[in-house]
């Protein structure tokens, strides 16, 4: 049996002789961060952002540490972060505040950001300085890089927007792709596409938030429709982030891989391999990675052929004659290279119309089977992974 007891709350008024340091557990995260990172390097980064005269500013290291607290512990806003600092002794210890020091108003960070830090590379410099510290301690393993993105909901009502017609964004590899396409066409005796074939201005209608115009309208499914941002990150096998790019939530992942990998190459070094999910599995991306002598590590894609029809592997590619052989023995000859970078191979219509395999081959009105294939190293790699 257990006897009922009542705790005496009068101990709330008990006086103690204690230091703030004693209240922070030895294994608490802020204590580990403080022990591993010397934040004084920030003073050199911001010295040109402050005047030599005027009233004293809030310590810039404290302003930066506030963002560390907010993002490390998943606090949704700077206002809420300040509220937490007022009552959390570990946060006060991390900032260097005592029991009775007044915490700055939440708007102070916003004003400093707008006046001093906005449109600067301060936070990027801090990020790579800390990454360099991890690298010096042999914690970084950048030979294999993993790329992905995640959506973060913007603080914006999804029903408050304006519809706008905007130009479709140009992919980072567009210029190089155009050169490769025209070179392939010329090699095959075709005329290169004129510039206006590629440069034709394409537009699309978007929803632009009236609350946060920099966000993008993101649709995942019928229940997930919101204004959001995409956080694209490249990480090593140990989980260290090596590079990051933030875009509106409606930016496709594949458009960001190239600039993200370039960022890693510039700041950290060239990886041996880059792994990503199916969203990044495009010929242009594999071509870019091969051009950099980086091995792509992308997932196998199941064939999407309809039930009852021949699969792509049923058509045999003849590398010497650059043509396909169909299951009935007819040759599909090279026809053209389209503006997406795929070679097209077409069957003879007059023969296919009487073929006994027609119903298993194509449903096209002109009875012609068209096979597509990317050229060069990219296609060799796609063959290996089963595309």
């Amino acid at each position: 049996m257990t006897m009922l007891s009542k705790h005496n709350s009068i101990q709330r008024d008990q006086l103690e002789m204690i230091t703030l340091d004693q209240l922070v557990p030895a294994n608490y995260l802020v204590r580990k961060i403080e022990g591993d990172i010397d934040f004084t390097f920030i003073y050199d980064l911001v010295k040109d952002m402050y005047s030599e005269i005027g009233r004293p500013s809030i310590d810039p290291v404290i302003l930066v540490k506030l963002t560390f607290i907010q993002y490390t512990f998943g606090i949704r806003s700077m206002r809420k972060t300040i509220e937490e600092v007022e009552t959390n002794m570990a946060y006060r210890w991390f900032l260097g505040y005592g029991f009775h020091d007044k915490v700055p108003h939440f708007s102070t960070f916003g004003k400093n950001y707008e006046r001093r830090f906005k449109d600067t590379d301060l936070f990027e410099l801090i990020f790579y300085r800390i990454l360099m510290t991890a690298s010096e301690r042999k914690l970084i393993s950048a030979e294999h890089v993993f790329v992905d993105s995640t959506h973060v909901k913007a603080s914006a009502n999804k029903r408050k927007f304006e519809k706008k017609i905007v130009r479709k964004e140009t992919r980072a590899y567009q210029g190089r792709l155009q050169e490769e396409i025209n070179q392939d066409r010329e090699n095959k005796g075709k005329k290169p596409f004129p510039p206006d074939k590629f440069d034709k201005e394409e537009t699309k209608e978007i929803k632009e938030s009236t609350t946060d115009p920099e966000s993008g309208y993101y649709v995942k499914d019928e229940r997930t429709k919101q204004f959001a941002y995409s956080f694209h990150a490249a990480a090593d096998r140990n989980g260290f982030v090596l590079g990051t790019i933030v875009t509106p939530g409606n930016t496709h992942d594949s458009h960001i891989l190239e600039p993200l990998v370039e960022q890693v190459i510039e700041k950290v070094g060239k990886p041996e391999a880059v792994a990503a999910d199916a969203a990044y599995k495009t010929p242009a991306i594999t071509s870019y990675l091969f051009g950099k002598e980086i091995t792509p590590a992308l997932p196998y894609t199941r064939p999407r052929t309809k039930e009852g029809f021949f699969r792509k592997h049923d058509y045999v590619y003849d590398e010497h004659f650059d043509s396909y052989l169909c299951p009935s023995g007819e040759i599909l000859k090279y026809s053209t290279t389209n503006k997406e970078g795929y070679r097209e191979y077409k069957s003879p219509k007059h023969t296919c119309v009487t073929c006994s395999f027609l119903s298993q081959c194509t449903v096209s009105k002109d009875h012609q089977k068209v096979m597509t294939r990317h050229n060069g190293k990219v296609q060799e790699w796609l063959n290996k992974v089963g595309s």
Side-chain angles (χ1 to χ4, degrees):
M1 295 181 66
T2 303
M3 183 179 67
L4 175 66
S5 62
K6 295 182 179 180
H7 185 71
N8 190 348
S9 61
I10 198 168
Q11 293 183 36
R12 292 174 178 171
D13 298 324
Q14 183 177 338
L15 294 176
E16 296 279 356
M17 292 290 291
I18 194 170
T19 65
L20 193 60
D21 187 74
Q22 291 175 268
L23 298 176
V24 184
N27 63 345
Y28 200 67
L29 186 55
V30 292
R31 188 182 284 279
K32 293 180 179 179
I33 294 174
E34 186 70 14
D36 287 330
I37 302 173
D38 180 4
F39 287 93
T40 57
F41 73 88
I42 292 173
Y43 295 122
D44 288 334
L45 299 180
V46 301
K47 62 184 179 182
D48 294 333
M49 302 177 188
Y50 289 84
S51 172
E52 294 183 358
I53 59 174
R55 59 187 178 85
S57 68
I58 291 180
D59 190 327
V61 170
I62 290 177
L63 294 175
V64 172
K65 281 186 172 182
L66 281 169
T67 63
F68 267 75
I69 292 173
Q70 180 182 349
Y71 290 105
T72 301
F73 295 97
I75 305 174
R76 67 177 183 270
S77 67
M78 186 54 66
R79 181 196 293 261
K80 185 65 177 175
T81 302
I82 296 298
E83 291 178 7
E84 291 289 330
V85 170
E86 289 176 345
T87 57
N88 189 308
M89 293 300 105
Y91 294 169
R92 280 182 170 270
W93 176 91
F94 182 59
L95 296 172
Y97 283 149
F99 287 106
H100 305 293
D101 286 330
K102 186 178 179 181
V103 182
H105 192 265
F106 72 88
S107 64
T108 303
F109 177 83
K111 290 176 181 176
N112 274 272
Y113 177 80
E114 285 291 331
R115 295 172 184 173
R116 294 187 177 90
F117 306 150
K118 189 178 181 182
D119 298 326
T120 71
D121 59 352
L122 173 63
F123 291 100
E124 184 180 1
L125 291 172
I126 293 171
F127 171 81
Y128 281 109
R129 175 61 180 264
I130 295 172
L131 192 66
M132 183 179 68
T133 302
S135 180
E136 289 171 350
R137 299 186 183 186
K138 309 299 182 184
L139 299 174
I140 302 295
S141 178
E143 297 85 8
H144 304 134
V145 171
F146 302 83
V147 174
D148 204 355
S149 73
T150 185
H151 285 90
V152 177
K153 186 179 181 297
S155 298
N157 190 325
K158 65 181 178 182
R159 295 178 180 85
K160 294 183 178 180
F161 61 84
E162 294 178 349
K163 289 187 177 181
K164 287 190 173 182
I165 303 296
V166 298
R167 182 175 182 177
K168 288 185 178 181
E169 61 271 14
T170 301
R171 293 169 288 188
Y173 49 78
Q174 194 66 45
R176 188 177 63 254
L177 182 62
Q178 292 172 14
E179 292 177 6
E180 291 177 359
I181 291 169
N182 277 339
Q183 184 61 56
D184 191 62
R185 289 178 63 86
E186 290 180 17
N187 292 343
K188 290 291 185 179
K190 298 282 183 181
K191 290 183 179 180
F193 285 129
D196 59 1
K197 182 76 172 180
F198 295 113
D199 298 337
K200 183 180 178 181
E201 187 169 305
E202 296 184 67
T203 60
K204 62 180 180 180
E205 183 180 79
I206 65 165
K207 293 179 179 179
E208 184 179 276
S209 170
T210 54
T211 308
D212 185 359
E214 293 183 353
S215 64
Y217 194 69
Y218 168 66
V219 179
K220 183 177 182 180
D221 50 46
E222 282 301 314
R223 291 184 296 176
T224 309
K225 298 179 180 180
Q226 61 191 21
F227 285 104
Y229 287 91
S230 284
F231 285 72
H232 309 264
D236 76 342
R237 63 173 59 191
N238 298 321
F240 282 93
V241 175
L242 308 178
T244 182
I245 295 174
V246 180
T247 67
N250 53 2
T251 302
H252 196 275
D253 292 351
S254 63
H255 293 186
I256 306 302
L257 182 136
E258 182 172 332
L260 188 56
V261 171
E262 288 291 340
Q263 188 182 108
V264 172
I265 292 172
E266 178 188 353
K267 302 291 186 179
V268 183
K270 190 177 77 173
E272 295 175 5
V274 170
D277 61 27
Y280 300 88
K281 189 178 179 180
T282 69
I285 283 177
T286 51
S287 176
Y288 161 72
L289 292 174
F290 274 126
K292 290 287 184 179
E293 298 183 337
I294 299 172
T295 301
L298 304 174
Y300 169 77
T301 303
R302 290 181 177 274
R304 296 185 177 89
T305 309
K306 292 181 180 179
E307 191 67 31
F309 284 80
F310 292 127
R311 298 188 181 277
K312 188 170 185 178
H313 61 71
D314 292 322
Y315 299 81
V316 181
Y317 179 69
D318 187 321
E319 188 173 357
H320 178 74
F321 292 103
D322 189 25
S323 61
Y324 277 93
L325 196 67
C326 79
S328 68
E330 289 298 332
I331 297 174
L332 283 73
K333 295 181 179 179
Y334 170 83
S335 173
T336 188
T337 302
N338 63 35
K339 69 174 186 176
E340 296 301 320
Y342 287 92
R343 290 178 181 174
E344 295 181 1
Y345 302 81
K346 297 181 179 180
S347 65
K349 301 178 187 178
H350 61 280
T351 304
C352 293
V353 69
T354 59
C355 180
S356 59
F357 292 133
L358 181 62
S359 61
Q360 296 173 262
C361 183
T362 181
V363 292
S364 66
K365 292 181 180 179
D366 60 0
H367 313 297
Q368 188 172 55
K369 175 67 177 179
V370 179
M371 297 288 291
T372 58
R373 177 186 184 87
H374 209 278
N375 60 82
K377 246 183 167 182
V378 175
Q379 186 60 49
E380 293 175 16
W381 179 83
L382 290 174
N383 287 340
K384 292 178 184 178
V385 299
S387 176

